[in-house]
Amino acid sequence: MSSACCATASNPLPEDSPMKTRKTLWLLWPLVLLSGCDTPPDATLPATRTLSLPVMTVGAGAPLEYSGVGTLVSDRRIEVASRLSGHIRDITVQEGDRVRAGQVLAQLEASDVESQIRQADAALKVATAAAADAELDAGRYQTLFEKGVVADSDIRKVQLRAGSARESVRQAEAALAAARAQQEYATLRSPIDGQVVARLRRPGDLAVPGMPLLVLEAGGELVFETTVPGQQVSRLQNGQPVAVMLDGLPAPRPGRISRIVSSGDAVTRAYPVRITLDDVQGLRAGMFGRAVFTLGEIAVPVVPRPALAEHGGLHGVYVLDDEQRARFRWLRLGREWADRVEVTAGLQAGERILAAVTPAVQEGDRITPDAAP
C-alpha cells in the first residue's frame, strides 16, 4: 500500500491545471503519512540469559512430630507436710525466701502433744515404781526359797510378776519417746538448702497429715515435665533428642528424654515424660512451654528457606523445565522450621528447583546447575 501511494503521489499531473494539481497533492499527503505508519519497526526481543545457580532435587521427608505442653520444674522439688493434725501457729517464711537445711519453717499448736507427754511421763513413773517393788519382792522370795520356806510355784509367780513389771517400764518409756517425737513433729524444718516457691497454708489453718504446707526447690538441675498420649509414647525412648520451646524465648532449647513413666493416668491415658535440657542458663522453674517430639517421617515435600521467592505477596519456587529454564510456581506452605518449610501443594518430590534464589533470577532464564548448597 505504501508503494502504491507513493507511486500515485509521484505520477505527473497535467501542466495546464495548476489548481487541480495543488488540490490533488493536499488530498494525497495524509495517505503518504499513513502509509509510513503501516510498517512497524522491528521488535527487538530480550536476549536469553544463562545463570549459574545451585540446583537441587526436591525430596519427601517431613518430620512427623508431636507437641506436648508442660512446665519447667526443679529436679529437686520437695513438698513440706506435717505428720500431725493441728492448727498452724506460725509460718516463718514467704515465697521466694532462701532457706537452709534445718531452718524452722512452721510451728503447729502442740498443746495436745504436751498433754500426751505428761501422761506418758506419769505412766513411766508408775511403771518404774511397780517394777522396783516387784524386784524387791522377787529378791525376798528368792532368799526364802533358798531356805526352803517358800514353795517352787510361789517363787515362779513372784519372778513372773517382776518380769512383767520390767516390761511395763519399757512400754512406758517407748510411749514417752513417741510423745516427745510428736512434739518435735510440731516444728517443721527445712530438709534442704533451697528456696520457697509456694506457700499453700496460712497461720490458723488446720494442718492435716500428708497435706503440703510449703513447696521447696533446691538450686539443682531444671527439667521439663510434660505428658504424651499412650498411642505416641511407644515411639519414644530415653536419650531421644527433644526441642523445648519456652514462652518468652526466641529459640527452642535442645534437650533429651531422661525418664518415661511407665504408668499412665487412668483418666487422660497420658504418660509423664521428663526432659533434661542441655542449657538452663537464664531459665527459671515454672516457665511454661511445649516439647516437640520427632516420631518419624511422612512423605511430604520439604524445601530449604533460601529456595523460596515471593511474588505478589505469595511464596513459590523456580522449577526447572525440560529446557533448563526457570519457571516460577506458587506453593501452599505448611509447617515451618528454622531452615526449611513443608510444601502441602504445588510441588512434588523429584522435581528440580533453584536451591537459592537471587534477585537477578527472572522467568525463563536458562540455568546452568552449580554446586548444591
Side-chain angles (χ1 to χ4, degrees):
M1 178 179 177
S2 177
S3 59
C5 293
C6 293
T8 304
S10 60
N11 286 338
L13 296 176
E15 297 179 358
D16 55 351
S17 55
M19 180 63 69
K20 183 178 179 180
T21 301
R22 285 194 293 271
K23 288 182 179 180
T24 303
L25 291 176
W26 280 108
L27 291 174
L28 294 178
W29 179 249
L31 297 176
V32 175
L33 295 178
L34 291 174
S35 65
C37 298
D38 288 342
T39 304
D42 294 337
T44 303
L45 296 175
T48 301
R49 301 185 309 168
T50 300
L51 302 177
S52 179
L53 294 173
V55 176
M56 65 171 291
T57 301
V58 179
L64 175 62
E65 298 175 335
Y66 172 77
S67 178
V69 298
T71 307
L72 195 66
V73 300
S74 173
D75 196 29
R76 295 190 62 191
R77 188 182 182 95
I78 298 176
E79 295 181 344
V80 179
S82 171
R83 297 181 61 174
L84 297 179
S85 178
H87 289 86
I88 302 174
R89 180 187 301 173
D90 187 24
I91 297 180
T92 60
V93 293
Q94 301 287 342
E95 291 91 345
D97 290 350
R98 303 291 302 182
V99 296
R100 302 181 308 275
Q103 178 179 339
V104 176
L105 303 178
Q107 185 71 43
L108 305 182
E109 292 289 346
S111 56
D112 295 341
V113 177
E114 292 174 356
S115 298
Q116 294 176 5
I117 293 175
R118 289 194 294 269
Q119 291 176 2
D121 184 59
L124 176 60
K125 292 178 179 179
V126 172
T128 302
D133 186 63
E135 291 290 346
L136 183 60
D137 290 344
R140 287 200 298 265
Y141 268 77
Q142 182 65 31
T143 303
L144 295 176
F145 176 75
E146 293 174 355
K147 293 179 179 181
V149 179
V150 178
D152 183 60
S153 59
D154 293 336
I155 188 63
R156 286 200 304 269
K157 292 180 181 179
V158 173
Q159 291 177 346
L160 181 62
R161 187 167 59 251
S164 177
R166 291 192 296 269
E167 184 62 27
S168 297
V169 171
R170 285 192 288 268
Q171 291 179 357
E173 290 175 346
L176 180 59
R180 288 175 175 171
Q182 293 291 320
Q183 187 180 33
E184 294 181 359
Y185 295 150
T187 302
L188 278 68
R189 300 180 183 273
S190 174
I192 59 171
D193 293 337
Q195 185 178 26
V196 180
V197 297
R199 177 173 165 172
L200 308 178
R201 293 291 180 270
R202 299 178 180 178
D205 291 344
L206 179 64
V208 179
M211 182 176 293
L213 279 66
L214 300 166
V215 179
L216 307 180
E217 285 186 353
E221 185 179 14
L222 296 176
V223 295
F224 188 82
E225 290 187 345
T226 184
T227 57
V228 177
Q231 61 268 28
Q232 307 292 354
V233 73
S234 60
R235 303 185 181 185
L236 304 180
Q237 57 184 354
N238 290 334
Q240 180 176 337
V242 182
V244 178
M245 306 177 66
L246 297 171
D247 288 353
L249 299 182
R253 294 291 180 98
R256 295 184 179 275
I257 298 177
S258 60
R259 188 183 310 165
I260 302 174
V261 180
S262 58
S263 178
D265 187 88
V267 178
T268 63
R269 306 299 180 185
Y271 293 78
V273 177
R274 295 169 67 89
I275 301 168
T276 302
L277 301 179
D278 297 343
D279 181 16
V280 297
Q281 185 176 2
L283 304 184
R284 294 179 178 272
M287 297 182 69
F288 180 80
R290 293 181 296 112
V292 181
F293 303 90
T294 302
L295 306 178
E297 289 187 349
I298 53 177
V300 177
V302 177
V303 298
R305 284 188 177 273
L308 294 178
E310 184 177 352
H311 288 288
L314 300 176
H315 290 89
V317 295
Y318 281 97
V319 182
L320 270 62
D321 60 13
D322 296 338
E323 299 179 355
Q324 303 296 315
R325 294 181 182 273
R327 304 299 181 185
F328 183 77
R329 187 186 298 175
W330 280 290
L331 304 178
R332 186 168 64 194
L333 304 180
R335 294 172 298 167
E336 299 185 6
W337 296 273
D339 58 344
R340 53 185 173 164
V341 295
E342 179 186 54
V343 179
T344 58
L347 195 64
Q348 295 182 358
E351 293 188 281
R352 302 176 69 205
I353 63 173
L354 292 183
V357 178
T358 63
V361 179
Q362 297 181 4
E363 180 76 15
D365 288 344
R366 191 181 299 276
I367 305 299
T368 299
D370 195 0

